[in-house]
Amino acid sequence: MRATIRDLRTYSEGGGMEPRTHDFQLTDARDAKPYSLSANTGRIRAFMFGSITNPPARYQLPLWDRLLEKYAGQPLDLFVIYGKELHPGDKKTYKLYPAPKSEYEKRAYAQEFAQLTKLPVLVDGLDDATLNAYGKVPNGAYVVDKDGALIFRGTWADSRKIEHIIDSLLQWYAAGKPKKAPAKAQQN
């Protein structure tokens, strides 16, 4: 029981991951086109995990859709990774969505989820390898800079935080990625 509680504490806080970018290649739920982080350097990448039975992710979708509109034409990829079902088979709300038993079933759920958003929805494997690599946070959000460095990870996909980080990054890049100002020499 102690091990279970320790595991819950670790992953509920976004721990349990090596704090770096974990490359992946996943396919889009709508058109099955592949997407990978390493193939898209030179662009800011911001993503969250979600699923059809994940109320916080579903709440964030229209807010992230607004971000998609705001940053149209910018060197930025916004997307959702369809991960683990948060409340599979919940008798009240999600009784039609038990934990998927096949890749086909998971992709069908992801396609239904994709109808709720304008964002690309990438489908994690049945083994949830990408979700696991990023700390098993079912509504986590992540921002990767143009060079491929993980610069933000949060346990909740809050569009306001993501917007602030993206705005800051875009300003930083527009200013030529300025370095820290040199310390002034002490005067006697």
Side-chain angles (χ1 to χ4, degrees), residues 22-27 33-41 45 77 79 122:
H22 300 269
D23 195 21
F24 55 79
Q25 181 163 331
L26 302 173
T27 58
K33 287 175 62 175
Y35 182 92
S36 74
L37 285 179
S38 61
N40 287 284
T41 55
R45 279 75 38 96
D77 295 336
F79 53 92
L122 308 179

Side-chain angles (χ1 to χ4, degrees), residues 89-111:
D90 182 313
K91 290 183 173 79
K92 295 176 184 170
T93 311
Y94 302 116
K95 64 183 176 183
L96 299 177
Y97 304 98
K101 294 178 180 63
S102 68
E103 297 284 342
Y104 175 80
E105 191 173 21
K106 187 166 188 173
R107 179 162 293 282
Y109 288 3
Q111 288 170 339

Side-chain angles (χ1 to χ4, degrees), residues 73-88:
Q74 295 290 330
L76 168 69
D77 295 336
L78 286 165
F79 53 92
V80 179
I81 297 178
Y82 195 87
K84 187 176 182 132
E85 295 303 326
L86 190 57
H87 299 287

